[in-house]
mmCIF file of all heavy atoms in Angstrom:
data_model
loop_
_atom_site.group_PDB
_atom_site.id
_atom_site.type_symbol
_atom_site.label_atom_id
_atom_site.label_comp_id
_atom_site.label_asym_id
_atom_site.label_seq_id
_atom_site.Cartn_x
_atom_site.Cartn_y
_atom_site.Cartn_z
ATOM 1 N N ILE A 298 1.646 4.647 1.743
ATOM 2 C CA ILE A 298 1.423 5.302 3.040
ATOM 3 C C ILE A 298 2.014 6.717 2.934
ATOM 4 O O ILE A 298 3.232 6.873 2.760
ATOM 5 C CB ILE A 298 2.056 4.502 4.188
ATOM 6 C CG1 ILE A 298 1.413 3.103 4.236
ATOM 7 C CG2 ILE A 298 1.854 5.244 5.517
ATOM 8 C CD1 ILE A 298 2.055 2.187 5.265
ATOM 9 N N CYS A 299 1.144 7.707 3.127
ATOM 10 C CA CYS A 299 1.579 9.101 3.077
ATOM 11 C C CYS A 299 1.980 9.536 4.485
ATOM 12 O O CYS A 299 1.273 9.287 5.446
ATOM 13 C CB CYS A 299 0.405 9.941 2.581
ATOM 14 S SG CYS A 299 0.809 11.700 2.466
ATOM 15 N N VAL A 300 3.131 10.221 4.559
ATOM 16 C CA VAL A 300 3.601 10.756 5.854
ATOM 17 C C VAL A 300 3.639 12.276 5.762
ATOM 18 O O VAL A 300 4.308 12.835 4.894
ATOM 19 C CB VAL A 300 4.957 10.186 6.239
ATOM 20 C CG1 VAL A 300 5.481 10.824 7.511
ATOM 21 C CG2 VAL A 300 4.844 8.665 6.429
ATOM 22 N N PHE A 301 2.919 12.929 6.664
ATOM 23 C CA PHE A 301 2.968 14.383 6.814
ATOM 24 C C PHE A 301 3.856 14.710 8.010
ATOM 25 O O PHE A 301 3.736 14.010 9.074
ATOM 26 C CB PHE A 301 1.573 14.964 7.088
ATOM 27 C CG PHE A 301 0.542 14.669 6.017
ATOM 28 C CD1 PHE A 301 -0.666 14.097 6.335
ATOM 29 C CD2 PHE A 301 0.786 14.999 4.710
ATOM 30 C CE1 PHE A 301 -1.643 13.877 5.371
ATOM 31 C CE2 PHE A 301 -0.167 14.784 3.717
ATOM 32 C CZ PHE A 301 -1.345 14.204 4.052
ATOM 33 N N CYS A 302 4.750 15.680 7.893
ATOM 34 C CA CYS A 302 5.663 15.947 9.033
ATOM 35 C C CYS A 302 6.408 17.258 8.853
ATOM 36 O O CYS A 302 6.326 17.868 7.765
ATOM 37 C CB CYS A 302 6.636 14.804 9.217
ATOM 38 S SG CYS A 302 7.631 14.432 7.765
ATOM 39 N N SER A 303 7.148 17.606 9.838
ATOM 40 C CA SER A 303 7.926 18.866 9.856
ATOM 41 C C SER A 303 9.036 18.827 8.786
ATOM 42 O O SER A 303 9.691 17.817 8.613
ATOM 43 C CB SER A 303 8.525 19.062 11.233
ATOM 44 O OG SER A 303 9.331 20.212 11.244
ATOM 45 N N SER A 304 9.260 20.019 8.211
ATOM 46 C CA SER A 304 10.421 20.186 7.350
ATOM 47 C C SER A 304 11.536 20.954 8.054
ATOM 48 O O SER A 304 12.562 21.208 7.455
ATOM 49 C CB SER A 304 10.005 20.884 6.046
ATOM 50 O OG SER A 304 9.514 22.199 6.360
ATOM 51 N N SER A 305 11.315 21.297 9.303
ATOM 52 C CA SER A 305 12.306 22.021 10.105
ATOM 53 C C SER A 305 13.504 21.102 10.407
ATOM 54 O O SER A 305 13.324 19.937 10.720
ATOM 55 C CB SER A 305 11.680 22.545 11.363
ATOM 56 O OG SER A 305 12.706 23.151 12.185
ATOM 57 N N SER A 306 14.681 21.657 10.349
ATOM 58 C CA SER A 306 15.887 20.900 10.695
ATOM 59 C C SER A 306 16.370 21.194 12.103
ATOM 60 O O SER A 306 17.340 20.566 12.580
ATOM 61 C CB SER A 306 16.988 21.191 9.674
ATOM 62 O OG SER A 306 16.614 20.738 8.422
ATOM 63 N N ASN A 307 15.739 22.110 12.800
ATOM 64 C CA ASN A 307 16.176 22.518 14.151
ATOM 65 C C ASN A 307 15.330 21.736 15.162
ATOM 66 O O ASN A 307 14.493 22.290 15.885
ATOM 67 C CB ASN A 307 16.033 23.985 14.347
ATOM 68 C CG ASN A 307 16.583 24.505 15.644
ATOM 69 O OD1 ASN A 307 17.440 23.836 16.210
ATOM 70 N ND2 ASN A 307 16.030 25.585 16.158
ATOM 71 N N LEU A 308 15.553 20.416 15.241
ATOM 72 C CA LEU A 308 14.692 19.528 16.080
ATOM 73 C C LEU A 308 15.505 18.683 17.054
ATOM 74 O O LEU A 308 16.649 18.329 16.769
ATOM 75 C CB LEU A 308 13.909 18.586 15.159
ATOM 76 C CG LEU A 308 13.000 19.242 14.144
ATOM 77 C CD1 LEU A 308 12.472 18.211 13.129
ATOM 78 C CD2 LEU A 308 11.842 19.974 14.803
ATOM 79 N N ASP A 309 14.842 18.313 18.112
ATOM 80 C CA ASP A 309 15.424 17.329 19.048
ATOM 81 C C ASP A 309 15.606 15.998 18.261
ATOM 82 O O ASP A 309 14.720 15.629 17.497
ATOM 83 C CB ASP A 309 14.453 17.115 20.214
ATOM 84 C CG ASP A 309 15.014 16.242 21.279
ATOM 85 O OD1 ASP A 309 15.332 15.057 20.982
ATOM 86 O OD2 ASP A 309 15.141 16.726 22.435
ATOM 87 N N PRO A 310 16.727 15.346 18.430
ATOM 88 C CA PRO A 310 17.011 14.097 17.727
ATOM 89 C C PRO A 310 15.936 12.985 17.901
ATOM 90 O O PRO A 310 15.792 12.147 17.038
ATOM 91 C CB PRO A 310 18.309 13.613 18.295
ATOM 92 C CG PRO A 310 18.995 14.859 18.810
ATOM 93 C CD PRO A 310 17.892 15.749 19.242
#
Side-chain angles (χ1 to χ4, degrees):
I298 300 175
C299 182
V300 175
F301 301 128
C302 57
S303 176
S304 62
S305 175
S306 296
N307 186 25
L308 302 170
D309 187 298

